[in-house]
């Protein structure tokens, strides 16, 4: 009986691990592990930094904080964003105001979701990807799915082992034999996840290895002293860097 439970566990473990190894190989080929000579930190602005650190959602958070700080938007802790100055100073600001709509007010969560998928924000990611600083979206998605699949296989094998032990409990020898065989998928999936921490984890982030190296060279002040420091901290650390609790609540709403 327990062999019928072992076979799908082993099959899931082998398939998921092979898929993760394949994803890692493709990611290495597409992104590489060293910065391109053309990379210059001076060419990376706040919005680019925000994308590398937290993806499209971080870019949107930074835009909201920036516009609220100069009085162009009002972010209410109740979850509403209101336009104060309808004249955007750049593509992203104009896209943000357009996403709010003609009424000049909308739910902040809805605004963030719409703007994160806007072509203006996607263009930032495309430029960084072309420069080798951002992980291609397809690579990141595949890496995340592959890692999840191995985790599911590990949990599944552990669950089947527990069920097998319960079924074979009266026969101690059978239980020990089953546990020994289940060590195969458990060791395979566990070892693959450990390998993924080194070889694949970098590709589950928004920044490619070169972009992560660049982020580590940027200063991040946990207690921002000026508005510029605040924007840099938000770009790198997200809304948690905002000191005003009402503004932080508005961003999290």
């Amino acid at each position: 009986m327990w062999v019928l439970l072992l076979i799908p566990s082993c099959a899931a473990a082998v398939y998921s691990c092979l898929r993760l190894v394949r994803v890692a190989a493709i990611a290495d080929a597409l992104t590489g592990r060293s910065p391109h000579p053309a990379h210059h930190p001076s060419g990376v602005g706040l919005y680019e930094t925000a994308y590398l650190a937290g993806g499209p959602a971080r870019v949107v958070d930074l835009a909201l904080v920036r516009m609220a700080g100069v009085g162009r938007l009002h972010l209410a802790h109740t979850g509403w964003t209101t336009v104060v100055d309808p004249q955007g100073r750049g593509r992203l600001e104009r896209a943000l105001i357009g996403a709010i709509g003609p009424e000049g007010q909308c739910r902040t969560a809805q605004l963030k979701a719409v703007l994160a998928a806007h072509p203006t924000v996607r263009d930032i990611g495309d430029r960084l990807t072309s420069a080798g600083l951002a992980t291609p979206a397809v690579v990141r998605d595949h890496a995340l799915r592959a890692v999840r699949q191995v985790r599911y296989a590990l949990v599944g094998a552990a669950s089947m082992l527990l069920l097998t032990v319960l079924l074979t409990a009266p026969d101690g020898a059978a239980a020990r034999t089953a546990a020994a065989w289940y060590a195969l998928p458990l060791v395979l999936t566990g070892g693959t996840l450990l390998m993924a921490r080194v070889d694949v984890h970098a590709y589950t982030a928004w920044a490619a290895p070169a972009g992560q190296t660049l982020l580590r060279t940027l200063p991040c002040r946990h207690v921002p002293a000026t508005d510029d420091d605040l924007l840099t901290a938000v770009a790198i650390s997200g809304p948690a860097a905002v000191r005003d609790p009402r503004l932080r609540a508005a961003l999290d709403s």
Side-chain angles (χ1 to χ4, degrees), residues 27-76:
D28 280 339
L30 289 179
T31 62
R33 291 189 173 272
S34 59
H36 189 277
H39 296 159
H40 295 292
S42 60
V44 177
L46 276 177
Y47 287 129
E48 288 77 14
T49 299
Y51 188 96
L52 292 174
R58 185 69 55 79
V59 174
V60 176
D61 284 334
L62 176 61
L64 291 172
V65 172
R66 196 173 201 171
M67 293 182 70
V70 294
R72 295 176 196 154
L73 289 180
H74 174 67
L75 300 177

Side-chain angles (χ1 to χ4, degrees), residues 212-224:
Q212 294 172 33
T213 299
L214 176 59
L215 285 176
R216 286 193 289 269
T217 67
L218 300 176
C220 179
R221 299 187 180 182
H222 297 289
V223 183

Side-chain angles (χ1 to χ4, degrees), residues 15-249:
Y15 173 78
S16 62
C17 291
L18 288 176
R19 183 169 184 265
L20 183 58
V21 170
R22 182 172 180 272
V23 167
I26 293 174
D28 280 339
L30 289 179
T31 62
R33 291 189 173 272
S34 59
H36 189 277
H39 296 159
H40 295 292
S42 60
V44 177
L46 276 177
Y47 287 129
E48 288 77 14
T49 299
Y51 188 96
L52 292 174
R58 185 69 55 79
V59 174
V60 176
D61 284 334
L62 176 61
L64 291 172
V65 172
R66 196 173 201 171
M67 293 182 70
V70 294
R72 295 176 196 154
L73 289 180
H74 174 67
L75 300 177
H77 68 282
T78 55
W80 288 89
T81 296
T82 304
V83 176
V84 177
D85 180 358
Q87 301 300 319
R89 270 55 172 189
R91 285 186 64 204
L92 187 56
E93 289 191 10
R94 289 192 292 271
L96 191 153
I97 293 171
I100 292 175
E103 295 182 359
Q105 187 180 60
C106 73
R107 299 292 300 181
T108 303
Q110 176 186 348
L111 170 63
K112 292 171 70 172
V114 171
L115 191 59
H118 195 277
T120 302
V121 177
R122 287 204 305 269
D123 285 347
I124 296 174
D126 291 342
R127 291 197 304 271
L128 291 169
T129 299
S130 297
L133 295 174
T135 304
V138 64
V139 170
R140 181 176 181 273
D141 290 343
H142 286 174
L144 287 170
R145 282 200 294 267
V147 170
R148 263 196 309 268
Q149 195 169 28
V150 176
R151 286 176 181 159
Y152 292 153
L154 174 60
V155 173
S159 300
M160 292 300 100
L161 172 59
L162 178 59
L163 179 59
T164 298
V165 170
L166 293 176
L167 292 175
T168 59
D171 186 346
R176 287 191 294 273
T177 300
W181 277 101
Y182 269 103
L184 295 175
L186 291 173
V187 170
L188 178 60
T189 51
T192 301
L193 286 175
L194 288 176
M195 177 208 72
R197 293 293 301 175
V198 177
D199 294 332
V200 183
H201 180 69
Y203 301 117
T204 62
W206 291 102
Q212 294 172 33
T213 299
L214 176 59
L215 285 176
R216 286 193 289 269
T217 67
L218 300 176
C220 179
R221 299 187 180 182
H222 297 289
V223 183
T226 66
D227 290 342
D228 288 341
D229 291 340
L230 172 61
L231 294 177
T232 300
V234 170
I236 296 175
S237 303
V242 176
R243 293 167 294 177
D244 185 347
R246 294 175 67 88
L247 179 57
R248 191 164 58 247

